[in-house]
Amino acid sequence: MKIAGCTTLLLNTMFYACREAAISMVRNFWMNIVVVFVIIVSLVILGGAILVVLNADYFASSLESDVEISVFLKPDLDQNTVLEIGERIKDTPGLLEVEYISKERALEQMKASFGERAGILKNLEQNPLPDAYRIKVKDVNQIAALAQSFEKFPGVDKVRYGQGLLEQLLLVTYWVRLLSMALVIALGLAAVFLIAATIRMSVLTRQNEIGIMKLMGATNWYIRVPFFIEGVMLGLIGAITAVAVVSWGYMELLQRLEVAVPFINLVPETAVLTSVLVVLLGLGVLIGATGSLISIHRFLRV
Amino acid sequence: MIQFYNVSKIYKNKVPALLDVTLRIKKGEFLFLVGPSGAGKSTLIKLIYREEVPSRGQVMFNGKNITRFSSGEVSRLRRKIGMVFQDFRLLPNKTVAENIAFALEVTGASRENIRQAVPLTLAKVGLAKKIDQYPAKLSGGEQQRVVIARAIINNPVLIIADEPTGNLDPDTSGEIMKLFQNINRSGTTIIMSTHAWDIVDRMKHRVIRLKNGKVEGDEDSGVYNLAT
């Protein structure tokens, strides 16, 4: 009975709190529009950046299987040294597979790839190709570091890996990550302070009301909750809009790319979008809650 | 119901607003608080509803020392007290009904309860017809009736009225005083600060006279006593 009473009390109070929050939001309409807009912009940028990075990672991992390091050995090594180098390579952590390709095998492979024109190779007096190890790595991000370490092995002549595309891709995602993080943090902070400013304004416009509420025995909690709800709602509205913009944009992009450049694989929408959606909604609420708490704390010392 | 034990209140400007006040107010009393401006009437009232805390001494309400109340306890205390002000303190952007409902909402009362209580309480103060008006459309006397309705809707044990007739003409003041008289007859204690000597003299209730923060006189069915 007592618990039921408390629950209805709480429900009534929440109803009044939500109503007051709604009234307040209508009253500060234009300020709220600006706040919501800033939240939308920052969350859309964040969502876009997450999608770019996720897709780049996805693309990189699809390249991963094709990416190998080739370690070419110096020409006049005896068989033992060749094997020793092989053992040393295999001892390095982070490798998926190490394959030895002797110069004879390399020549055969080359002949096979030349096909009908393999005749050119018959004129060779001796095999010009070096012995080599072909290495597959677990993590593409490690590839440059691994290649460098192999270069220092004695007996190693040259190290080659899928330089170019992959490196550039990794560099792009690195910068996208860095820039978007900086931008998102800056815009997020701006959004938090804008929310704090709006809530401060609604506190000030309702100063009178708050004073009367206190005289009538309103608890601190009762006075504060509407402002908290207002802040969270602003964050949520911004986040929902941002989610809509990002999802629509991504699906649109997927459709266009499928037609224009079918060989580029993007992460299919449902897998990514749900997680991005959750992140954006959570951040929107967090921004709203933080902003309103700052103002409640500073301007509602009841 | 209310006891003051050697209560002093000194504000930051070092001038004592109340000095060593000891008094006792019984349940069901109708009490006038009189004295020149700055005598400490408002401070005494604020100490009862815990807007202020005494610098020295204790204030008891229903056997509890309210000087040590937490903010939650202060909220609960205030729900037992109806407040009436000289300047009304109505919210201009809310209707009469909404202004009154406000007092019940802060207690978490249900909307159903509020829907029933508001017209009933307005009828008690004779304003049933003005339920959907905004305060600005009402006369001073009508606004004060709304304030009284707001004060009594919680069935408070005490009503504190700080110069409630200060902005009203004599006829309207008389009607407001009749309302207070009725409320008092139903058992509610009333503490009213006032400058209206005619009202005080006519009604023959207990009068506490304050001057320079001290109790100068305290008599049953007293008079305003212009000489002070």
Side-chain angles (χ1 to χ4, degrees):
Chain A
M1 191 61 202
K2 171 116 200 210
I3 292 169
C6 280
T7 319
T8 48
L9 200 78
L10 195 70
L11 278 178
N12 292 330
T13 309
M14 281 316 286
F15 170 80
Y16 303 132
C18 290
R19 188 195 58 197
E20 292 307 314
I23 290 172
S24 190
M25 281 168 77
V26 172
R27 214 179 275 169
N28 294 328
F29 185 74
W30 288 109
M31 182 79 181
N32 288 337
I33 292 287
V34 174
V35 171
V36 169
F37 184 74
V38 171
I39 294 173
I40 292 170
V41 170
S42 52
L43 291 183
V44 164
I45 290 176
L46 178 66
I50 291 175
L51 285 175
V52 167
V53 168
L54 281 178
N55 274 299
D57 281 353
Y58 182 71
F59 190 55
S61 71
S62 76
L63 283 181
E64 201 166 349
S65 50
D66 305 333
V67 170
E68 305 170 328
I69 305 177
S70 296
V71 176
F72 300 105
L73 306 182
K74 287 183 178 145
D76 40 15
L77 298 175
D78 59 63
Q79 200 59 30
N80 272 344
T81 325
V82 170
L83 287 175
E84 260 169 42
I85 295 172
E87 289 306 314
R88 266 194 85 177
I89 290 173
K90 280 174 193 155
D91 285 343
T92 316
L95 304 185
L96 210 61
E97 201 183 308
V98 179
E99 192 188 358
Y100 173 61
I101 308 219
S102 64
K103 54 178 120 182
E104 292 78 20
R105 231 184 105 198
L107 191 65
E108 270 165 37
Q109 281 181 355
M110 193 179 252
K111 278 179 185 164
S113 71
F114 275 38
E116 286 179 359
R117 289 157 62 205
I120 317 170
L121 296 173
K122 278 181 183 163
N123 297 334
L124 290 171
E125 281 166 23
Q126 60 174 69
N127 186 349
L129 298 173
D131 290 321
Y133 284 99
R134 203 173 283 170
I135 300 151
K136 289 185 178 169
V137 299
K138 279 183 190 148
D139 178 9
V140 276
N141 289 304
Q142 293 293 315
I143 204 162
L146 285 169
Q148 268 179 12
S149 74
F150 297 147
E151 242 164 15
K152 288 178 195 135
F153 287 8
V156 170
D157 186 25
K158 269 185 236 161
V159 175
R160 279 282 134 83
Y161 61 97
Q163 276 133 329
L165 181 61
L166 185 73
E167 268 194 315
Q168 274 172 14
L169 189 68
L170 292 177
L171 199 68
V172 166
T173 59
Y174 174 77
W175 282 107
V176 167
R177 262 179 240 243
L178 208 70
L179 279 177
S180 61
M181 276 323 276
L183 210 58
V184 163
I185 288 172
L187 280 169
L189 282 179
V192 166
F193 285 112
L194 269 172
I195 294 235
T198 345
I199 298 303
R200 194 189 83 139
M201 250 178 55
S202 39
V203 169
L204 292 181
T205 52
R206 296 184 59 199
Q207 207 72 308
N208 220 351
E209 220 165 307
I210 291 167
I212 296 170
M213 282 162 87
K214 278 199 257 181
L215 289 180
M216 293 183 178
T219 56
N220 291 344
W221 187 82
Y222 184 89
I223 291 169
R224 283 172 177 159
V225 163
F227 296 106
F228 184 72
I229 293 176
E230 188 180 353
V232 169
M233 283 309 289
L234 290 176
L236 201 60
I237 291 171
I240 289 171
T241 319
V243 163
V245 169
V246 169
S247 329
W248 177 81
Y250 192 64
M251 288 195 284
E252 199 66 7
L253 188 74
L254 274 180
Q255 267 181 357
R256 301 237 169 125
L257 279 185
E258 227 165 64
V259 181
V261 268
F263 56 87
I264 290 189
N265 283 323
L266 290 185
V267 189
E269 72 259 47
T270 43
V272 198
L273 279 182
T274 39
S275 54
V276 173
L277 183 138
V278 170
V279 169
L280 295 189
L281 283 181
L283 268 177
V285 171
L286 189 72
I287 287 173
T290 316
S292 49
L293 283 178
I294 288 174
S295 271
I296 289 169
H297 186 70
R298 284 184 59 193
F299 302 102
L300 262 186
R301 292 184 183 277
V302 283
Chain B
M1 182 165 73
I2 299 165
Q3 288 102 30
F4 277 56
Y5 294 111
N6 307 98
V7 172
S8 294
K9 178 68 191 179
I10 297 150
Y11 290 106
K12 277 176 189 146
N13 58 14
K14 310 271 186 192
V15 183
L18 276 187
L19 250 183
D20 205 26
V21 170
T22 297
L23 55 84
R24 167 185 291 263
I25 298 163
K26 289 197 288 286
K27 193 177 182 324
E29 265 191 292
F30 196 131
L31 178 129
F32 287 116
L33 214 51
V34 302
S37 300
K41 302 189 297 289
S42 292
T43 301
L44 196 147
I45 282 173
K46 282 177 181 166
L47 286 168
I48 297 173
Y49 67 87
R50 251 297 301 262
E51 182 75 6
E52 299 289 350
V53 186
S55 311
R56 278 196 298 275
Q58 312 294 339
V59 179
M60 308 287 284
F61 191 99
N62 278 346
K64 284 180 188 146
N65 189 342
I66 64 169
T67 44
R68 299 209 190 106
F69 267 14
S70 69
S71 73
E73 288 172 310
V74 170
S75 299
R76 260 168 275 144
L77 167 74
R78 288 181 183 171
R79 289 177 198 177
K80 296 177 193 147
I81 304 174
M83 302 288 308
V84 178
F85 304 97
Q86 179 179 16
D87 56 357
F88 312 139
R89 302 201 193 167
L90 291 168
L91 294 170
N93 50 0
K94 288 188 192 282
T95 65
V96 166
E98 287 164 349
N99 265 290
I100 298 173
F102 213 52
L104 278 182
E105 284 172 6
V106 302
T107 68
S110 74
R111 272 171 290 161
E112 188 53 42
N113 264 345
I114 294 173
R115 241 196 314 274
Q116 288 172 351
V118 167
L120 227 77
T121 313
L122 270 178
K124 277 186 202 165
V125 299
L127 270 185
K129 284 178 188 161
K130 309 279 185 173
I131 189 161
D132 290 321
Q133 299 267 12
Y134 284 89
K137 298 259 178 164
L138 303 179
S139 70
E142 287 169 330
Q143 290 190 43
Q144 196 58 294
R145 282 163 190 270
V146 176
V147 176
I148 292 170
R150 186 178 67 185
I152 62 174
I153 197 164
N154 270 335
N155 296 316
V157 294
L158 168 69
I159 286 191
I160 295 176
D162 196 358
E163 298 187 33
T165 59
N167 283 338
L168 304 176
D169 63 65
D171 284 350
T172 320
S173 297
E175 285 166 28
I176 294 293
M177 288 318 296
K178 261 183 223 154
L179 259 177
F180 279 127
Q181 192 74 50
N182 286 337
I183 294 165
N184 178 241
R185 276 200 198 108
S186 68
T188 309
T189 311
I190 295 182
I191 299 173
M192 174 174 159
S193 78
T194 186
H195 288 292
W197 58 271
D198 53 327
I199 291 175
V200 175
D201 290 356
R202 192 174 64 231
M203 288 182 76
K204 307 245 184 300
H205 288 307
R206 181 179 172 193
V207 176
I208 290 180
R209 205 174 302 112
L210 287 174
K211 197 182 177 188
N212 297 329
K214 287 181 189 156
V215 177
E216 269 219 338
D218 182 352
E219 48 217 71
D220 291 333
S221 70
V223 290
Y224 190 89
N225 195 354
L226 273 179
T228 57

